[in-house]
Each structure stands twice: as C-alpha cells, then as structure tokens.
Amino acid sequence: MSTLAITKAYRRYAGVYDRLFGTVFAQGRRMAVQLSTPTAGRKVLEVGVGTGLSLPAYAPETEVWGIDLSEHMLERARARVARDNLTHVKDLQVMDAEATEFADGTFDTVVAMYVVSVVANPAKMFREISRICRPGGDIIVVNHFASTHWLLQAMERSLAPLSSVIGFHPHYSMSNMLDDSRLQLQAVHDVNWFGYWKLAHFHNTPVHSAAAALEPAYASQFDVDAKRA
Ligand SMILES: C[S@@+](CC[C@H](N)C(=O)[O-])C[C@H]1O[C@@H](n2cnc3c(N)ncnc32)[C@H](O)[C@@H]1O
C-alpha cells in the first residue's frame, strides 16, 4: 500500500476507529504494554500509535512517544492525552515509521500494534525500528498473520485486492515477518478472539536469517524454511 493509500484509508477510519477496533484488539494492546515496560522509567516508542487507545495503560513513570502517518488518527490521540491528562506521553508526531527522525538507540522499547501489515514496506520499518531501539532492547509486534487453515487462507487471499480500501494486507504471514525483521524472536503469544492475532516479542539483536530468528520452541509453529539458516 502506498503512503497516500494509507493516509486516505485512516482518514476514513479515524472517526469510527475506536468503536470498530477498540474492544476487539484490547487484549493484545494490554499485553504489549505490560511486556514493553518490565522495569520502571523506560523510554517507549509506539509506531502507528493511531488514536492512542493504548496510551492510558502505560505506567506513569514510563515515557512514551508516538508516531503515525495519519494526522487524522493523531488528532484523536492528542485529544485523549489532553482529556485524560496523560503526562507520561511526551510527544505525538506525524512521522513515517520507515524513516524516522530519532537518533540511533533512542528507545528501550519499540511497540508496533496492528501496523506491520499496514506499512508500505515492513522490512524497511523493521530496519528503522531496530536502529532507533537500543541494542538488546525490546521490540513488540501485535498483528494478525495469514492463517494456516485452508478456508481462512482462501478468505484472506480473496481480500488481498482490497488492501488499499480496508487499510491492511490480510495475507502477511509470520514467516514474512521473520524474513523482514531478521531479529531474535523471544516469544509468541496468542491474543484477542480465538488467538487469531499474535504478539511477537523480539530482542533487538540481529540474526542472519529468518530461521535463525526462531527459538527452537517456536520452530515447528511457523512455516519457515530451515535451510535458509
Ligand atoms: C490498524 S491502525 C493501528 C493503530 C493502533 N496501533 C491500535 O492499536 O489500534 C494502523 C496505524 O498505522 C499507521 N501507519 C501506517 N503506516 C505507517 C507508517 N509507515 N508510519 C507510521 N504510521 C503508519 C496508520 O496511519 C494507522 O493509524
């Protein structure tokens, strides 16, 4: 999806986003926030922060920055920060997660919730978030990944031509993400309804291949070609 298609789609969504995706995605957001701040005083960046639904959940001693391509989504996030007096939120800016203005190693944790299958170039976004996260820091991704069930897979494929309208790629797989990220995967959790979404917890440690990203415990779960290791 192009940047223009993304901003158009999320301009349409902005007014109804919280009603459509607030509750449905809430469990994944809660778990991502918990994992993103294992110790107090962390600097956290949320890429694709959207309307800021997760922002009230951070502990007050955390410092949180948010970026998003869509000014319309961010307007809602800024209103939430003002309304709920969220003083731990340091800044919300229009910025592209594929090319940010932050210095190397600025954040302890970078969180990307329901964003990986929206951005135009996920591999570029992973390179960028790995650069601005400190080495060994935490990168937390929550997303739906292409199903391995034939019926769901067929449905997801049928939606693919509509990506620009629905605002995400329904067929982005976990193995696509491991190829794109090339980071050490620490854990994967099922989240939201029927575990249909996943939370992937990476350490910001580069690996040379998708297969090398996998802890042995996860190797059997994902369709990753071990020969690439
Ligand atoms: C499905 S919404 C997720 C919003 C929020 N994270 C949540 O938990 O509901 C995806 C968001 O990613 C943003 N986005 C898409 N591509 C982006 C990019 N390259 N850089 C920053 N934000 C992006 C969209 O504008 C949109 O607000």
Side-chain angles (χ1 to χ4, degrees):
M1 248 190 307
S2 69
T3 298
L4 183 63
I6 294 168
T7 50
K8 272 187 171 175
Y10 285 92
R11 190 213 304 246
R12 281 197 304 273
Y13 273 132
V16 291
Y17 188 87
D18 292 3
R19 265 169 285 152
L20 286 179
F21 301 114
T23 309
V24 169
F25 291 168
Q27 191 214 350
R29 288 191 196 96
R30 261 197 313 276
M31 194 187 259
V33 169
Q34 273 164 18
L35 288 172
S36 69
T37 52
T39 55
R42 284 211 155 194
K43 284 179 83 166
V44 177
L45 174 69
E46 260 201 41
V47 299
V49 65
T51 62
L53 282 162
S54 57
L55 296 175
Y58 289 93
E61 60 274 16
T62 309
E63 296 187 315
V64 184
W65 279 256
I67 62 169
D68 202 285
L69 268 186
S70 166
E71 178 62 42
H72 292 85
M73 294 288 275
L74 276 185
E75 267 173 26
R76 310 256 159 186
R78 291 194 186 106
R80 187 187 310 278
V81 168
R83 190 184 61 231
D84 297 351
N85 192 27
L86 303 178
T87 52
H88 57 282
V89 178
K90 298 302 161 196
D91 203 9
L92 296 171
Q93 289 184 56
V94 174
M95 211 185 280
D96 187 348
E98 295 177 19
T100 73
E101 293 162 14
F102 299 111
D104 294 0
T106 301
F107 299 100
D108 298 303
T109 308
V110 180
V111 185
M113 294 190 239
Y114 314 108
V115 178
V116 175
S117 58
V118 177
V119 294
N121 186 336
K124 202 170 165 202
M125 183 192 79
F126 273 108
R127 282 196 295 279
E128 182 63 0
I129 61 180
S130 173
R131 181 187 73 74
I132 61 181
C133 184
R134 70 170 164 74
D138 296 285
I139 294 179
I140 295 174
V141 173
V142 184
N143 219 76
H144 165 67
F145 296 99
S147 176
T148 47
H149 186 280
W150 67 270
L151 182 57
L152 293 173
Q153 222 172 48
M155 284 164 59
E156 287 161 3
R157 286 198 186 286
S158 71
L159 284 174
L162 299 175
S163 295
S164 300
V165 180
I166 59 179
F168 64 96
H169 297 284
H171 57 294
Y172 188 77
S173 69
M174 182 63 87
S175 103
N176 289 147
M177 180 172 73
L178 295 177
D179 260 337
D180 287 340
S181 63
R182 301 293 170 105
L183 295 170
Q184 186 71 55
L185 184 64
Q186 289 303 300
V188 178
H189 305 275
D190 292 342
V191 292
N192 302 336
W193 291 353
F194 311 113
Y196 192 57
W197 286 260
K198 308 273 179 226
L199 183 154
H201 184 177
F202 293 94
H203 272 186
N204 191 21
T205 306
V207 294
H208 63 280
S209 71
L214 288 169
E215 289 288 302
Y218 297 111
S220 59
Q221 282 186 32
F222 305 119
D223 179 25
V224 175
D225 182 356
K227 290 193 286 297
R228 285 180 302 189

